[in-house]
Amino acid sequence: MLIGKHLIAGEWVEGDTTFTSAPAHGSCHDFATGTAAHVDAAVQAAEEAFVTYGWSSRTERAALLRKIAEEIDTRGDAITEIGSQETGLPEARLQGERGRTVGQLRLFADYIEKGDYLDQRHDPAMPDRAPLPRPDLRMIQRPLGPVAVFGASNFPLAFSVAGGDTAAALAAGCPVVVKGHPAHPGTGEIVAQAIDAALKATGTPAGVFSLIQSDGIEVGTALARHPLIRAVGFTGSQRAGRALFDLCAARPEPIPFFGELGSVNPMFLLPAALSERAADIGKGWAGSLTMGAGQFCTNPGIAVVIDGPDADAFQSATQGALEQVDGQTMLTDGISDAYRRGVAQAAAQSDVAQIVVKDSASRGAAPNLFVVSGDDWLGNAALHEEVFGPMGIIVRVRDADQMLQLARSIEGQLTCTLHLADDDAALARQLVPVLERKAGRLLANGFPTGVEVCDSMVHGGPYPASTNFGATSVGTLSIRRFLRPVCYQDIPAGLLPEQE
């Protein structure tokens, strides 16, 4: 049952004003609008809880993560129902995303119990060393403190209230205050109910988690500026992410902002691969480009090919596949509007040809495909910007040298993909050293939509793909974002944090 209130340190709290959800179908609901006062109450409670939770054992935190997963699964049908209404996503997609979300919580629980992530180092005392003795030195990774998490629009579960940032922070020992996304406030509230139940069942301090709902910027601004918040996790647009990044950097005491801001995820189709399987790659790209109405941060929006008959075959196959795809419902009216603006901007460029033209009415998105020469793409920065939705651009370069030039020119990306065959090895060896500096994940002969949650995944990249390219927002390494190394010199064993 939805109650439309904030969850602040175990209490469901009303607001003076409300906002109304805008579901793709089904009933609208009213939700309390958060304020700076709500933020302060939640963060103060988180700081108080950190005194205990920051020193809890890995076993205790693992038990909490597993209990949250259990409580989310218990509410699975309700989450799927409200999530489908709010976002327009099909039930199967939401069920799969719930599986990913609870699987991630359980993965992190198993991982922290092993203790390897702490990267502990110990240099025993050497009192008799000459000319100077050495003290006993221990380095241990310690939690930062209260963390603010911003729910994402495109993943109502996996990147939202109990998603990757929240799971990583809780695993590290950091309390979390979530700013719920207004695209799916009902889904967020039910997940918060699950977390609240888990906190109570495990005896975890209530201040370890709070959810504040809002459809404006006051809550987000107050969270980024609050002096007790020690880090921010964010997945969203470059515009919003950069604004929050600047707020965090401008504080009297700047804090890390872990923002994942998306990218165009270029694919480079090498000559031998294109000769062997141009049609198959084109059809596969069309499927990846339109999956989920293109609403993935790893959506491959750019395909780079060397001009010629094989490029013609690839372009024809992609065009034919996209023309068979109907419009799909997008997550929000605002995202749909932005997609139409992006398509219109590309279509307005004099050096671009549009070869798949489909209108996207109301809250829907239909695929659109453009083609441009390598020279014109390199000379037009407007074509390098992400369009969130099923829009693709084929860049037809003159030769391998211009393909390398284009690779060197791209900004930071979440992913870069090579489609290659055995005879492409020489060109691939030139591209890989360039592309590994541009992206957090390199793929061969695949498509980047779909991010595996595992130890080795990197979901991040050089700016503007993310604001801290030494980190990842997916996988067990994401926990390290919310830890910092502390060296304990000659500290008695009874005063040290858990080590085993």
Side-chain angles (χ1 to χ4, degrees):
M1 179 182 296
L2 296 178
I3 57 178
K5 299 180 181 180
H6 313 295
L7 175 63
I8 299 178
E11 300 292 334
W12 292 96
V13 179
E14 295 181 343
D16 293 334
T17 61
T18 62
F19 68 96
T20 303
S21 64
H25 58 86
S27 301
C28 300
H29 300 278
D30 292 333
F31 295 88
T33 302
T35 65
H38 290 124
V39 169
D40 185 60
V43 177
Q44 293 287 352
E47 176 68 17
E48 182 178 347
F50 181 60
V51 175
T52 301
Y53 190 68
W55 284 73
S56 61
S57 69
R58 299 194 303 276
T59 300
E60 290 170 326
R61 296 198 298 278
L64 172 63
L65 294 174
R66 293 188 181 107
K67 187 62 177 176
I68 293 172
E70 177 187 325
E71 294 289 347
I72 289 173
D73 273 340
T74 298
R75 295 161 175 79
D77 290 345
I79 289 170
T80 298
E81 180 181 5
I82 188 67
S84 178
Q85 291 174 4
E86 290 184 323
T87 66
L89 293 172
E91 291 187 358
R93 153 69 194 272
L94 287 163
Q95 290 164 354
E97 189 179 331
R98 174 165 57 87
R100 169 179 168 168
T101 303
V102 299
Q104 182 170 248
L105 288 160
R106 292 173 176 132
L107 172 67
F108 285 8
D110 294 342
Y111 182 71
I112 63 172
E113 282 184 328
K114 298 175 185 176
D116 296 343
Y117 74 102
L118 294 172
D119 191 21
Q120 297 184 62
R121 306 176 188 204
H122 181 207
D123 292 295
M126 300 174 65
D128 299 326
R129 187 183 68 175
L132 294 173
R134 184 176 74 187
D136 183 86
L137 298 168
R138 292 180 183 270
M139 189 272 281
I140 304 175
Q141 302 287 337
R142 297 295 297 143
L144 296 178
V147 169
V149 170
F150 287 72
S153 64
N154 59 333
F155 280 89
L157 298 173
F159 281 89
S160 290
V161 174
D165 288 341
T166 297
L170 292 177
C174 298
V176 174
V177 180
V178 173
K179 191 267 184 191
H181 199 285
H184 38 75
T187 309
E189 182 186 309
I190 295 177
V191 174
Q193 292 175 12
I195 298 174
D196 185 42
L199 293 173
K200 290 179 168 63
T202 56
T204 305
V208 164
F209 176 84
S210 293
L211 168 69
I212 302 174
Q213 304 273 28
S214 173
D215 65 342
I217 66 171
E218 181 182 358
V219 167
T221 300
L223 275 170
R225 287 177 170 168
H226 199 289
L228 295 178
I229 290 291
R230 310 314 302 161
V232 173
F234 173 87
T235 298
S237 70
Q238 185 174 339
R239 178 186 59 81
R242 184 55 198 248
L244 289 167
F245 175 81
D246 290 344
L247 283 176
C248 291
R251 290 168 39 135
E253 182 184 0
I255 59 172
F257 176 81
F258 299 106
E260 189 269 281
L261 311 182
S263 63
V264 295
N265 304 294
M267 303 190 310
F268 295 82
L269 282 61
L270 277 56
L274 202 62
S275 175
E276 291 178 6
R277 53 184 194 275
D280 289 340
I281 297 173
K283 293 174 185 176
W285 183 38
S288 180
L289 193 67
T290 58
M291 182 186 300
Q295 297 172 117
F296 293 94
C297 44
T298 54
N299 194 36
I302 304 291
V304 184
V305 297
I306 295 176
D307 202 12
D310 294 330
D312 292 340
F314 166 75
Q315 181 173 312
S316 177
T318 305
Q319 179 179 350
L322 290 178
E323 286 174 343
Q324 303 303 311
V325 179
D326 295 327
Q328 302 174 67
T329 301
M330 299 200 86
L331 292 157
T332 68
D333 292 322
I335 291 174
S336 181
D337 290 343
Y339 174 68
R340 285 193 291 272
R341 289 195 300 272
V343 170
Q345 177 176 316
Q349 307 301 310
S350 59
D351 47 11
V352 176
Q354 187 170 10
I355 57 176
V356 174
V357 183
K358 290 198 174 187
D359 292 331
S360 300
S362 185
R363 193 163 162 168
N368 286 266
L369 183 64
F370 298 84
V371 63
V372 64
S373 71
D375 287 335
D376 288 332
W377 193 88
L378 287 165
N380 190 342
L383 300 176
H384 305 185
E385 298 176 4
E386 179 187 27
V387 176
F388 196 61
M391 188 191 100
I393 300 177
I394 298 173
V395 183
R396 299 178 65 135
V397 297
R398 288 191 307 273
D399 49 29
D401 287 341
Q402 190 170 54
M403 181 177 279
L404 279 163
Q405 181 187 1
L406 190 148
R408 295 187 184 102
S409 74
I410 60 174
E411 296 183 305
Q413 305 291 328
L414 294 172
T415 72
C416 288
T417 300
L418 293 172
H419 287 276
L420 71 164
D422 290 344
D423 290 343
D424 291 314
L427 178 54
R429 279 193 291 269
Q430 295 180 72
L431 281 165
V432 167
V434 176
L435 297 180
E436 75 169 8
R437 299 180 64 188
K438 301 290 186 175
R441 178 161 58 113
L442 300 184
L443 297 83
N445 297 328
F447 299 95
T449 40
V451 180
E452 183 71 23
V453 180
C454 60
D455 291 330
S456 52
M457 177 53 63
V458 174
H459 190 59
Y463 186 85
S466 61
T467 56
N468 189 318
F469 62 84
T472 174
S473 62
V474 176
T476 52
L477 185 63
S478 66
I479 298 170
R480 288 290 296 270
R481 295 174 297 165
F482 304 114
L483 298 165
R484 65 184 183 90
V486 177
C487 180
Y488 296 86
Q489 181 171 326
D490 291 331
I491 300 297
L495 297 179
L496 291 171
E498 178 193 45
Q499 299 173 68
E500 301 299 335

